[in-house]
Structures are given as C-alpha cells and as structure tokens.
Amino acid sequence: MFGNNHIAVVGAGPAGLIAAETLAAAGHRVTVHDHMASAGRKFLMAGRGGLNLTHSEPIDTFLTRYGTAAERLRPAIEAFPPEALRAWSEGLGQATFVGSSGRVFPHAMKASPLLRAWLGRLASQGVTFAMRHRWNGWDRDGRLVFATPGGNVAVAADATVLALGGASWPRLGSDASWVAILEQAGVHVAPLKPANCGFLIDWSPTIRERFAGSPLKPVALVFEGRAVRGEAMITTTGLEGGAVYALSAPLRDAIAAHGTATLLVDLRPDLGLDALAARLDRPRARQSRSTFLRKAAALAPPAIALVNEVLARRKGEPDAAAFAALIKALPLTLTGTAPIARAISSAGGVPFDEIDAAFMLKKTPGVFVAGEMLDWEAPTGGYLLTACFATGMAAAKGAQNWLRHKAVLSPPSS
Ligand SMILES: Cc1cc2nc3c(=O)[nH]c(=O)nc-3n(C[C@H](O)[C@H](O)[C@H](O)COP(=O)(O)OP(=O)(O)OC[C@H]3O[C@@H](n4cnc5c(N)ncnc54)[C@H](O)[C@@H]3O)c2cc1C
C-alpha cells in the first residue's frame, strides 16, 4: 500500500520533526534517528532567547531576508508561511504573539512546552525514535548505516529525509559530520561558514580585562552604508550581539576578501551630529577626558573606553566637531570571524543546484534534504526556524510524491 512505506528521517531538529509529522499524517511509518540522547537540543537552546519562531512582516518583505536563496525558498515558505507556523504552534497549545519589533514568539517565551507537546503528538501518530544513532552513510545495498551504543545498525528505508542541521553549536548535535558523507556520494557541499556570528577585534588589555561582557546600548552599527540599531556586547575577543549579527554576512565576506573590515559604531544614535558637537563645545576645565565624555556626551564607561582606545592611536586631542564625529562613527577594525561553534547559525551547505524542486538530492534518488543543512542564510528574527519548518515540510511532501510515483510506475505484483 502506498501510505505504508517506511521512511527514515535523520535529524531530530525542527526540520526533521516537521517532516516526520507530515509523513506520519499521510499514513507512512516513520522513524526519526538522531545521534543525541534526546530530540531538539538546538531548538531548546533557541528557546533560551525567547524562541523567535517567525516574523509578522508581509511575505514579500519576509522573503527578501533570504537574499539570493529567496526564490528557491519561496515555494516552500509560501506553502507553510509564518501564519501557518503560528497556527501550528497554537495547535500544540502554544499561542504566539507579535513583539514590538514584529518578531513572533510563543507566550511561554521558551521551546520546552512546545517541544513536549510536539513529541507527544508524534508519538500518538506512531512515529518512533531511534536516539543515539549516528548516521555514517550508506552500505553497498543502499541501507542507511548508523553507529549505535550496541554496534552498527543498517536500516532499509523506502525514502529518507536528511535534516542534519548546520555547523554551529556542535555540542547540541549538528556537527556537520554529514558533509564528508554527502561529498563521498558525489554531492557538492558549499563550505559551511559562521552566520549571525561575532567578530574578532584586537582589543587592548584594558578593554579585554575591564569591559568584556559589557553591553553597548543603544548603538547603531554601520557597514557599507547599511545601519543597524540595537545592542552589541564587548567580548574578550571582540564584539557580538544582535546588531552585529544583523551585519554579519557582509562583514564576514569582507573579511574573507580583504583580511579585515571596518565597522563604524554610532555610540549616541539618538543625538544628531550637530547637537552632540554643541554639547562637546564647552570648556573641559580640569576634567579628565573620560569625565568630560560622561558628563557632556552622556556616554557609559564601555563607550568611553572605546573612544579612548581609538584616540590612543591618534595624535592630539580632537576639537568638539571631530569628537562628535568620532562618537557618531567610531571605527573598529574587525580582524576575523568568531568561531562557527559559537555562531547562531551557519551559511553554506547543500546548494539548491544539488536538489530538485521537491528537495530530493539529484545524485541519490529517494533522499531528501531540509533545514539548515541547505545552502541559505538569513538574519535572526524568526527567519531561520521558519525556513527550517518550511523546507522540512516541503521535503516530506517531496518524499510522499516520489513514493506515489514510484508505486504507480512499479505496482506490487499480486
Ligand atoms: C543560541 C541559538 C539561538 C537561536 N535562536 C533562534 C531563534 O530565536 N529563532 C530562529 O529562527 N532560529 C534560532 N536559532 C537557529 C535555529 O535553532 C536553527 O536554525 C534550527 O534549529 C535548525 O534546525 P534543523 O532542524 O535544520 O537543524 P538542528 O536543529 O541543528 O537539528 C539537526 C539534528 O541532526 C542531528 N544530527 C546531526 N548529524 C547527525 C548524524 N550524523 N547522525 C544523526 N543525527 C545527526 C543533530 O543531533 C540534531 O538533532 C538559534 C540557534 C542558536 C544556536
């Protein structure tokens, strides 16, 4: 019978779990395999920041967030758009709300109740879980081979959905071990790179020792004419935080091309240049520069330290206009990208050219791919999870259709 195929889903993150749900709802036998001891570890981690599930902006604006991958993702996202994701969450008892920035969160502001209800639904659909199963490739008979605590296990599946994640936070499960397996199968994989990541700056010992962990807020960061307002955080090795992540793709690419990138930091984004210069155009008397900046420009200690850091490399004391210009556009030299292990997500992965419109790998028929392991990237704002859900569902539907066609072409002998 068509609906009773055995389908192996590999990867128990949001993309794999929604694929499992979709296939089980269509009557297939589904087993979800994962090498971790429990499902959805990164999903739970995303919940620590409030679980930004999706975004409420109009769909055409929403799709632009995926840059060059937008048109390849459009059919999947239009088939399971942000409203559908919100309704799905509500169906699991986790109604959502739109935050002031347009971002969408579940009221619980965490992933655990949603994941618990979801795993309950999957169990009631008959989905089985094979945890501590590390997928290591295929054997000669085309069976999936898993390393388990009890030894290697070979699994024959009528179709497979791979949803193995990217390369960030490997301790949560997505360690990119699949890259070598797919490359061996002849699939080209675009190198995995950090996305929504921090950057390295050669801080002085003062900044490193006294200000690591200090937020800079509010700030506006400017790179290549694009300004992002928000928060940044000084780290021992550089800078991270929401506003930095929003510019991380062009910054990362500029560093790859030129070795460094200069990020401009507006430390007083609420005050115009002239107003700031007027405030700074008053006698300093015997105040130190730091006291003067605190009083006249209302800068916090971490911001003052950054100004001092830049001025330490310049000669003389700036006048009011030059001081204001510096505070409104403080140049920081980024010397590298923080390690991918600490990035929110990764860019790169299986290129869209390697899959067909149904998310099936062209070189390995019957094997479908979904989620962050595909070659797309997006800023934070709910775009990551939305695309993982949408492609998970699209890959599941692709697998269903493929099995249906296969059944029609080769009907079982009576
Ligand atoms: C700190 C943090 C906060 C985040 N916050 C948000 C947010 O608020 N909103 C948002 O949209 N996104 C957020 N994200 C990103 C989001 O969590 C990911 O994009 C999403 O989880 C990716 O889903 P996925 O199913 O593709 O992969 P994953 O969730 O990474 O799941 C992949 C699964 O595959 C398994 N696996 C990998 N290799 C193997 C193997 N060889 N054998 C067996 N199993 C394997 C892994 O164990 C894992 O369970 C956040 C990420 C981080 C790190």
Side-chain angles (χ1 to χ4, degrees):
M1 184 186 124
F2 157 68
N4 197 25
N5 287 289
H6 175 235
I7 300 176
V9 172
V10 194
L17 295 180
I18 199 74
E21 181 180 338
T22 308
L23 288 159
H28 297 289
R29 282 179 297 122
V30 182
T31 307
V32 178
H33 308 76
D34 199 294
H35 70 113
M36 300 300 279
S38 59
R41 294 260 174 118
K42 193 179 276 185
F43 189 55
L44 290 172
M45 172 61 95
R48 285 217 206 154
L51 194 68
N52 182 192
L53 264 184
T54 188
H55 202 286
S56 60
E57 66 197 3
I59 191 73
D60 281 331
T61 314
F62 188 98
L63 284 163
T64 62
R65 311 299 178 192
Y66 299 96
T68 53
E71 288 314 307
R72 303 305 292 264
L73 289 170
R74 180 187 282 276
I77 292 177
E78 284 182 344
F80 193 59
E83 313 84 76
L85 180 52
R86 295 182 68 182
W88 170 86
S89 177
E90 188 156 0
L92 286 167
Q94 298 301 314
T96 57
F97 71 97
V98 180
S100 54
S101 58
R103 295 176 180 217
V104 175
F105 302 88
H107 285 288
M109 294 294 281
K110 54 185 180 177
S112 43
L114 182 58
L115 183 61
R116 208 174 309 122
W118 195 6
L119 294 176
R121 176 188 283 173
L122 291 166
S124 71
Q125 287 179 308
V127 172
T128 53
F129 282 82
M131 304 310 293
R132 296 195 171 91
H133 276 53
R134 171 178 280 278
W135 178 56
N136 278 336
W138 292 275
D139 66 12
R140 282 192 188 155
D141 300 322
R143 295 176 302 179
L144 299 154
V145 178
F146 294 95
T148 78
N152 279 357
V153 171
V155 172
D158 297 303
T160 300
V161 177
L162 299 177
L164 298 159
S168 78
W169 287 75
R171 68 182 176 83
L172 301 177
S174 40
D175 58 9
S177 54
W178 55 266
V179 172
I181 302 171
L182 290 193
E183 282 179 342
Q184 211 176 348
V187 178
H188 165 68
V189 179
L192 294 169
K193 299 180 280 190
N196 295 300
C197 57
F199 289 89
L200 307 180
I201 299 174
D202 195 10
W203 294 130
S204 68
T206 309
I207 298 280
R208 235 186 349 257
E209 286 156 23
R210 291 189 47 207
F211 294 101
S214 302
L216 294 168
K217 62 175 179 180
V219 284
L221 305 182
V222 182
F223 183 65
E224 288 177 346
R226 215 190 124 201
V228 177
R229 271 182 75 106
E231 222 180 292
M233 167 93 83
I234 298 173
T235 67
T236 48
T237 54
L239 210 59
E240 62 181 31
V244 181
Y245 300 157
L247 290 172
S248 61
L251 286 170
R252 176 198 65 213
D253 294 345
I255 292 170
H258 311 295
T260 60
T262 303
L263 179 67
L264 300 178
V265 184
D266 183 348
L267 295 165
R268 283 303 318 267
D270 296 319
L271 205 57
L273 184 66
D274 292 344
L276 182 59
R279 282 190 184 207
L280 291 162
D281 193 18
R282 64 189 195 202
R284 194 190 286 188
R286 290 164 64 187
Q287 290 173 355
S288 68
R289 184 199 288 153
S290 297
T291 305
F292 177 64
L293 286 177
R294 179 169 55 79
K295 290 188 175 170
L299 290 186
I304 295 170
L306 291 189
V307 174
N308 285 333
E309 179 103 339
V310 171
L311 287 178
R313 283 183 237 116
R314 296 188 183 174
K315 281 198 186 124
E317 198 66 2
D319 62 15
F323 237 138
L326 188 65
I327 291 169
K328 295 290 291 173
L330 189 89
L332 293 180
T333 304
L334 311 186
T335 57
T337 307
I340 196 165
R342 295 290 299 173
I344 299 285
S345 58
S346 50
V350 177
F352 284 94
D353 288 348
E354 291 283 351
I355 57 171
D356 66 13
F359 289 81
M360 184 170 81
L361 283 171
K362 291 175 183 167
K363 298 204 177 84
T364 50
V367 179
F368 297 77
V369 187
E372 206 180 306
M373 68 183 290
L374 283 165
D375 184 11
W376 55 270
E377 68 176 311
T380 57
Y383 309 104
L384 300 166
L385 283 172
T386 303
C388 290
F389 276 94
T391 56
M393 191 169 273
K397 290 189 174 152
Q400 254 175 277
N401 288 335
W402 184 76
L403 287 166
R404 191 177 290 129
H405 281 118
K406 216 171 101 171
V408 171
L409 290 177
S410 50
S413 50
S414 51

